[in-house]
Amino acid sequence: MDTHTVAVAYIERLEARNWDGVTALLAEDVVYEMPQTRERITGREMFMRFNVEYPSDWHLAIRRVVAEGPFAAIWLDVRDDGKPVDAIVWLDTEDGRITRVTDYWPDRAEPMPGREHLTTQF
Amino acid sequence: MDTHTVAVAYIERLEARNWDGVTALLAEDVVYEMPQTRERITGREMFMRFNVEYPSDWHLAIRRVVAEGPFAAIWLDVRDDGKPVDAIVWLDTEDGRITRVTDYWPDRAEPMPGREHLTTQF
């Protein structure tokens, strides 16, 4: 499976709650990081528990996957308990298995003042 | 110039304040979006003004570029007035020019309670 295909499968299997399918994509020593909270989870078993136990009703739709060599970036439209959230997932792979997952969940923010002459709101 | 090279050049020329060099990478009708604040800037001239006028002392270092076809994802280590910030930039290109730039600037956040049994802090 090439990296692009691994990335698509990772998201589709998570969304399907196909836990065996997700597990099959992960290296045993996979590392999961959320840089915003500086949380790290080490190892496939703990990372799968994190996914299975995640408390909200989450749904993932792929907006874009970009893969090159062993790396992929995934742009997601997430619904988290119904709330729309954008997310970005970076994947590192080795021999077709995911060795590192880095998740970003950017929050909504207020525009900085002083640039209204350049911008429109959407 | 392939998409990966365009992405690297885009960041390097921004960091060098090589404004003519950045301009040369952009389609005239480039669209810049910041989904977190829902701000949009339309057109190369306005987008260049936004960059030139940006009030802080910012520095960009590439952590990773992943490109596939006309798309690229860029993972940046930013220093914004000295403060370290992670950023993610999505690029769309057409005929080797950038037609769309989407920036995410994820803020630091507090860990959600209830997963301390799975995570470590870094």
Side-chain angles (χ1 to χ4, degrees):
Chain A
M1 229 190 274
D2 67 16
T3 311
H4 189 112
T5 307
V6 168
V8 172
Y10 171 66
I11 301 302
E12 287 181 349
R13 294 177 189 183
L14 280 172
E15 175 60 19
R17 277 56 172 170
N18 172 1
W19 305 124
D20 289 345
V22 176
T23 302
L25 297 172
L26 302 173
E28 196 176 342
D29 58 352
V30 63
V31 173
Y32 174 73
E33 286 186 354
M34 290 174 280
Q36 292 171 268
T37 59
R38 300 198 160 275
E39 287 171 289
R40 176 182 293 141
I41 297 171
T42 303
R44 184 165 60 192
E45 188 185 331
M46 294 295 252
F47 181 46
M48 289 310 301
R49 278 182 62 186
F50 170 76
N51 283 299
V52 172
E53 293 180 9
Y54 202 89
S56 72
D57 177 38
W58 49 269
H59 292 281
L60 313 178
I62 292 174
R63 191 185 304 183
R64 183 178 293 176
V65 168
V66 178
E68 183 179 4
F71 303 123
I74 309 170
W75 193 355
L76 291 178
D77 290 306
V78 181
R79 294 255 158 192
D80 191 32
D81 283 334
K83 188 182 134 208
V85 188
D86 296 358
I88 297 110
V89 181
W90 295 91
L91 296 184
D92 297 22
T93 69
E94 219 177 283
D95 302 324
R97 293 224 172 168
I98 298 166
T99 55
R100 183 173 283 267
V101 180
T102 309
D103 270 13
Y104 286 96
W105 298 79
D107 277 317
R108 285 294 188 81
E110 285 302 308
M112 279 171 60
R115 57 198 191 198
E116 305 81 358
H117 58 304
L118 303 172
T119 64
T120 57
Q121 289 284 131
F122 65 95
Chain B
M1 228 190 275
D2 67 16
T3 311
H4 190 113
T5 308
V6 168
V8 172
Y10 172 67
I11 300 304
E12 287 181 348
R13 294 177 188 184
L14 281 172
E15 175 59 18
R17 276 58 171 169
N18 172 1
W19 304 125
D20 289 345
V22 176
T23 301
L25 297 172
L26 302 173
E28 196 176 342
D29 59 351
V30 63
V31 173
Y32 174 72
E33 287 186 352
M34 289 174 280
Q36 291 170 270
T37 60
R38 300 199 160 276
E39 287 171 287
R40 176 182 294 142
I41 298 171
T42 304
R44 184 166 59 191
E45 189 186 330
M46 295 294 251
F47 181 46
M48 288 310 300
R49 279 182 61 186
F50 169 77
N51 283 299
V52 172
E53 294 179 8
Y54 203 89
S56 72
D57 177 40
W58 48 269
H59 291 282
L60 313 177
I62 292 175
R63 191 185 303 183
R64 183 179 293 176
V65 168
V66 179
E68 184 179 4
F71 304 123
I74 309 170
W75 193 356
L76 291 177
D77 290 307
V78 181
R79 293 255 159 194
D80 191 32
D81 282 334
K83 189 183 133 207
V85 187
D86 295 358
I88 298 111
V89 182
W90 294 91
L91 296 184
D92 297 23
T93 69
E94 219 176 285
D95 302 325
R97 292 222 172 169
I98 297 166
T99 55
R100 184 173 282 268
V101 180
T102 310
D103 270 14
Y104 286 97
W105 297 79
D107 278 319
R108 286 293 188 80
E110 285 303 308
M112 280 171 60
R115 57 198 191 198
E116 305 81 359
H117 59 302
L118 303 172
T119 63
T120 56
Q121 289 285 130
F122 65 93

PDB file of all heavy atoms in Angstrom, chain A residues 3-5 7-8 11 62-67 72-75, chain B residues 68 71 90:
ATOM      1  N   THR A   3       1.798   5.388   0.406  1.00  0.00           N
ATOM      2  CA  THR A   3       1.513   6.262   1.554  1.00  0.00           C
ATOM      3  C   THR A   3       0.154   6.939   1.424  1.00  0.00           C
ATOM      4  O   THR A   3      -0.580   7.075   2.410  1.00  0.00           O
ATOM      5  CB  THR A   3       2.634   7.319   1.701  1.00  0.00           C
ATOM      6  OG1 THR A   3       3.907   6.663   1.641  1.00  0.00           O
ATOM      7  CG2 THR A   3       2.508   8.058   3.004  1.00  0.00           C
ATOM      8  N   HIS A   4      -0.184   7.372   0.212  1.00  0.00           N
ATOM      9  CA  HIS A   4      -1.490   8.010   0.002  1.00  0.00           C
ATOM     10  C   HIS A   4      -2.620   7.045   0.376  1.00  0.00           C
ATOM     11  O   HIS A   4      -3.569   7.424   1.078  1.00  0.00           O
ATOM     12  CB  HIS A   4      -1.610   8.460  -1.467  1.00  0.00           C
ATOM     13  CG  HIS A   4      -2.802   9.315  -1.746  1.00  0.00           C
ATOM     14  ND1 HIS A   4      -2.713  10.651  -2.085  1.00  0.00           N
ATOM     15  CD2 HIS A   4      -4.132   9.028  -1.722  1.00  0.00           C
ATOM     16  CE1 HIS A   4      -3.935  11.140  -2.256  1.00  0.00           C
ATOM     17  NE2 HIS A   4      -4.807  10.168  -2.043  1.00  0.00           N
ATOM     18  N   THR A   5      -2.488   5.820  -0.076  1.00  0.00           N
ATOM     19  CA  THR A   5      -3.517   4.803   0.197  1.00  0.00           C
ATOM     20  C   THR A   5      -3.596   4.491   1.692  1.00  0.00           C
ATOM     21  O   THR A   5      -4.691   4.323   2.245  1.00  0.00           O
ATOM     22  CB  THR A   5      -3.203   3.521  -0.603  1.00  0.00           C
ATOM     23  OG1 THR A   5      -3.030   3.885  -1.981  1.00  0.00           O
ATOM     24  CG2 THR A   5      -4.329   2.504  -0.494  1.00  0.00           C
ATOM     25  N   ALA A   7      -2.926   6.581   4.073  1.00  0.00           N
ATOM     26  CA  ALA A   7      -3.559   7.735   4.728  1.00  0.00           C
ATOM     27  C   ALA A   7      -5.078   7.691   4.569  1.00  0.00           C
ATOM     28  O   ALA A   7      -5.819   7.919   5.532  1.00  0.00           O
ATOM     29  CB  ALA A   7      -2.985   9.030   4.146  1.00  0.00           C
ATOM     30  N   VAL A   8      -5.532   7.391   3.364  1.00  0.00           N
ATOM     31  CA  VAL A   8      -6.981   7.304   3.128  1.00  0.00           C
ATOM     32  C   VAL A   8      -7.573   6.167   3.959  1.00  0.00           C
ATOM     33  O   VAL A   8      -8.621   6.329   4.614  1.00  0.00           O
ATOM     34  CB  VAL A   8      -7.280   7.118   1.629  1.00  0.00           C
ATOM     35  CG1 VAL A   8      -8.757   6.819   1.404  1.00  0.00           C
ATOM     36  CG2 VAL A   8      -6.849   8.358   0.831  1.00  0.00           C
ATOM     37  N   ILE A  11      -7.996   7.020   7.743  1.00  0.00           N
ATOM     38  CA  ILE A  11      -9.173   7.830   8.072  1.00  0.00           C
ATOM     39  C   ILE A  11     -10.462   7.035   7.862  1.00  0.00           C
ATOM     40  O   ILE A  11     -11.369   7.056   8.715  1.00  0.00           O
ATOM     41  CB  ILE A  11      -9.187   9.126   7.230  1.00  0.00           C
ATOM     42  CG1 ILE A  11      -7.924   9.957   7.492  1.00  0.00           C
ATOM     43  CG2 ILE A  11     -10.466   9.923   7.510  1.00  0.00           C
ATOM     44  CD1 ILE A  11      -7.707  10.363   8.938  1.00  0.00           C
ATOM     45  N   ILE A  62     -12.566  13.237   4.702  1.00  0.00           N
ATOM     46  CA  ILE A  62     -11.316  13.704   4.093  1.00  0.00           C
ATOM     47  C   ILE A  62     -11.601  14.878   3.166  1.00  0.00           C
ATOM     48  O   ILE A  62     -12.421  14.778   2.263  1.00  0.00           O
ATOM     49  CB  ILE A  62     -10.646  12.558   3.301  1.00  0.00           C
ATOM     50  CG1 ILE A  62     -10.156  11.466   4.263  1.00  0.00           C
ATOM     51  CG2 ILE A  62      -9.486  13.098   2.449  1.00  0.00           C
ATOM     52  CD1 ILE A  62      -9.617  10.223   3.559  1.00  0.00           C
ATOM     53  N   ARG A  63     -10.911  15.986   3.408  1.00  0.00           N
ATOM     54  CA  ARG A  63     -10.955  17.086   2.456  1.00  0.00           C
ATOM     55  C   ARG A  63      -9.811  16.931   1.448  1.00  0.00           C
ATOM     56  O   ARG A  63      -9.995  17.158   0.267  1.00  0.00           O
ATOM     57  CB  ARG A  63     -10.843  18.435   3.170  1.00  0.00           C
ATOM     58  CG  ARG A  63     -11.157  19.593   2.231  1.00  0.00           C
ATOM     59  CD  ARG A  63     -10.949  20.956   2.864  1.00  0.00           C
ATOM     60  NE  ARG A  63     -11.701  21.142   4.085  1.00  0.00           N
ATOM     61  CZ  ARG A  63     -11.706  22.288   4.773  1.00  0.00           C
ATOM     62  NH1 ARG A  63     -11.007  23.327   4.340  1.00  0.00           N
ATOM     63  NH2 ARG A  63     -12.398  22.393   5.890  1.00  0.00           N
ATOM     64  N   ARG A  64      -8.645  16.554   1.939  1.00  0.00           N
ATOM     65  CA  ARG A  64      -7.499  16.391   1.032  1.00  0.00           C
ATOM     66  C   ARG A  64      -6.452  15.494   1.672  1.00  0.00           C
ATOM     67  O   ARG A  64      -6.245  15.570   2.885  1.00  0.00           O
ATOM     68  CB  ARG A  64      -6.878  17.760   0.727  1.00  0.00           C
ATOM     69  CG  ARG A  64      -5.735  17.712  -0.257  1.00  0.00           C
ATOM     70  CD  ARG A  64      -5.180  19.084  -0.556  1.00  0.00           C
ATOM     71  NE  ARG A  64      -6.146  19.911  -1.272  1.00  0.00           N
ATOM     72  CZ  ARG A  64      -5.934  21.193  -1.586  1.00  0.00           C
ATOM     73  NH1 ARG A  64      -4.811  21.777  -1.224  1.00  0.00           N
ATOM     74  NH2 ARG A  64      -6.843  21.871  -2.253  1.00  0.00           N
ATOM     75  N   VAL A  65      -5.828  14.677   0.868  1.00  0.00           N
ATOM     76  CA  VAL A  65      -4.650  13.913   1.278  1.00  0.00           C
ATOM     77  C   VAL A  65      -3.519  14.253   0.316  1.00  0.00           C
ATOM     78  O   VAL A  65      -3.709  14.220  -0.899  1.00  0.00           O
ATOM     79  CB  VAL A  65      -4.912  12.393   1.239  1.00  0.00           C
ATOM     80  CG1 VAL A  65      -3.609  11.611   1.382  1.00  0.00           C
ATOM     81  CG2 VAL A  65      -5.889  11.983   2.328  1.00  0.00           C
ATOM     82  N   VAL A  66      -2.370  14.595   0.873  1.00  0.00           N
ATOM     83  CA  VAL A  66      -1.177  14.856   0.064  1.00  0.00           C
ATOM     84  C   VAL A  66      -0.084  13.947   0.616  1.00  0.00           C
ATOM     85  O   VAL A  66       0.218  13.993   1.812  1.00  0.00           O
ATOM     86  CB  VAL A  66      -0.748  16.336   0.167  1.00  0.00           C
ATOM     87  CG1 VAL A  66       0.510  16.580  -0.644  1.00  0.00           C
ATOM     88  CG2 VAL A  66      -1.861  17.259  -0.312  1.00  0.00           C
ATOM     89  N   ALA A  67       0.477  13.111  -0.247  1.00  0.00           N
ATOM     90  CA  ALA A  67       1.504  12.165   0.203  1.00  0.00           C
ATOM     91  C   ALA A  67       2.724  12.281  -0.692  1.00  0.00           C
ATOM     92  O   ALA A  67       2.620  12.536  -1.899  1.00  0.00           O
ATOM     93  CB  ALA A  67       0.966  10.738   0.172  1.00  0.00           C
ATOM     94  N   ALA A  72       2.669  11.773   4.772  1.00  0.00           N
ATOM     95  CA  ALA A  72       1.382  12.238   4.269  1.00  0.00           C
ATOM     96  C   ALA A  72       0.854  13.343   5.172  1.00  0.00           C
ATOM     97  O   ALA A  72       1.130  13.367   6.380  1.00  0.00           O
ATOM     98  CB  ALA A  72       0.369  11.093   4.211  1.00  0.00           C
ATOM     99  N   ALA A  73       0.090  14.244   4.560  1.00  0.00           N
ATOM    100  CA  ALA A  73      -0.661  15.264   5.304  1.00  0.00           C
ATOM    101  C   ALA A  73      -2.121  15.083   4.938  1.00  0.00           C
ATOM    102  O   ALA A  73      -2.457  14.904   3.760  1.00  0.00           O
ATOM    103  CB  ALA A  73      -0.176  16.667   4.935  1.00  0.00           C
ATOM    104  N   ILE A  74      -2.966  15.104   5.961  1.00  0.00           N
ATOM    105  CA  ILE A  74      -4.404  14.869   5.773  1.00  0.00           C
ATOM    106  C   ILE A  74      -5.149  16.074   6.314  1.00  0.00           C
ATOM    107  O   ILE A  74      -4.907  16.505   7.444  1.00  0.00           O
ATOM    108  CB  ILE A  74      -4.860  13.602   6.523  1.00  0.00           C
ATOM    109  CG1 ILE A  74      -3.970  12.405   6.176  1.00  0.00           C
ATOM    110  CG2 ILE A  74      -6.322  13.301   6.204  1.00  0.00           C
ATOM    111  CD1 ILE A  74      -4.231  11.186   7.063  1.00  0.00           C
ATOM    112  N   TRP A  75      -6.059  16.589   5.499  1.00  0.00           N
ATOM    113  CA  TRP A  75      -6.882  17.748   5.877  1.00  0.00           C
ATOM    114  C   TRP A  75      -8.286  17.202   6.074  1.00  0.00           C
ATOM    115  O   TRP A  75      -8.869  16.636   5.143  1.00  0.00           O
ATOM    116  CB  TRP A  75      -6.818  18.755   4.753  1.00  0.00           C
ATOM    117  CG  TRP A  75      -7.324  20.125   5.018  1.00  0.00           C
ATOM    118  CD1 TRP A  75      -7.931  20.591   6.139  1.00  0.00           C
ATOM    119  CD2 TRP A  75      -7.247  21.229   4.100  1.00  0.00           C
ATOM    120  NE1 TRP A  75      -8.233  21.920   5.973  1.00  0.00           N
ATOM    121  CE2 TRP A  75      -7.818  22.333   4.730  1.00  0.00           C
ATOM    122  CE3 TRP A  75      -6.746  21.373   2.800  1.00  0.00           C
ATOM    123  CZ2 TRP A  75      -7.918  23.573   4.106  1.00  0.00           C
ATOM    124  CZ3 TRP A  75      -6.843  22.600   2.193  1.00  0.00           C
ATOM    125  CH2 TRP A  75      -7.417  23.699   2.837  1.00  0.00           C
TER     126      TRP A  75
ATOM    127  N   GLU B  68       2.081  16.573  -3.699  1.00  0.00           N
ATOM    128  CA  GLU B  68       1.554  15.509  -4.574  1.00  0.00           C
ATOM    129  C   GLU B  68       0.684  16.184  -5.616  1.00  0.00           C
ATOM    130  O   GLU B  68      -0.273  16.891  -5.267  1.00  0.00           O
ATOM    131  CB  GLU B  68       0.736  14.504  -3.749  1.00  0.00           C
ATOM    132  CG  GLU B  68       0.240  13.335  -4.583  1.00  0.00           C
ATOM    133  CD  GLU B  68      -0.561  12.318  -3.764  1.00  0.00           C
ATOM    134  OE1 GLU B  68      -0.809  12.538  -2.554  1.00  0.00           O
ATOM    135  OE2 GLU B  68      -0.948  11.299  -4.353  1.00  0.00           O
ATOM    136  N   PHE B  71      -0.847  19.910  -5.301  1.00  0.00           N
ATOM    137  CA  PHE B  71      -1.061  20.300  -3.909  1.00  0.00           C
ATOM    138  C   PHE B  71       0.194  20.108  -3.061  1.00  0.00           C
ATOM    139  O   PHE B  71       0.952  19.172  -3.269  1.00  0.00           O
ATOM    140  CB  PHE B  71      -2.199  19.480  -3.292  1.00  0.00           C
ATOM    141  CG  PHE B  71      -3.500  19.577  -4.040  1.00  0.00           C
ATOM    142  CD1 PHE B  71      -4.124  18.439  -4.518  1.00  0.00           C
ATOM    143  CD2 PHE B  71      -4.084  20.812  -4.270  1.00  0.00           C
ATOM    144  CE1 PHE B  71      -5.328  18.520  -5.212  1.00  0.00           C
ATOM    145  CE2 PHE B  71      -5.283  20.911  -4.964  1.00  0.00           C
ATOM    146  CZ  PHE B  71      -5.911  19.755  -5.439  1.00  0.00           C
ATOM    147  N   TRP B  90      -1.479  25.016   3.480  1.00  0.00           N
ATOM    148  CA  TRP B  90      -1.871  24.207   2.318  1.00  0.00           C
ATOM    149  C   TRP B  90      -1.757  25.073   1.078  1.00  0.00           C
ATOM    150  O   TRP B  90      -2.243  26.220   1.065  1.00  0.00           O
ATOM    151  CB  TRP B  90      -3.320  23.719   2.469  1.00  0.00           C
ATOM    152  CG  TRP B  90      -3.509  22.769   3.599  1.00  0.00           C
ATOM    153  CD1 TRP B  90      -3.841  23.079   4.885  1.00  0.00           C
ATOM    154  CD2 TRP B  90      -3.371  21.345   3.557  1.00  0.00           C
ATOM    155  NE1 TRP B  90      -3.915  21.940   5.642  1.00  0.00           N
ATOM    156  CE2 TRP B  90      -3.636  20.862   4.854  1.00  0.00           C
ATOM    157  CE3 TRP B  90      -3.044  20.426   2.552  1.00  0.00           C
ATOM    158  CZ2 TRP B  90      -3.586  19.498   5.166  1.00  0.00           C
ATOM    159  CZ3 TRP B  90      -3.004  19.071   2.863  1.00  0.00           C
ATOM    160  CH2 TRP B  90      -3.270  18.619   4.155  1.00  0.00           C
TER     161      TRP B  90
END
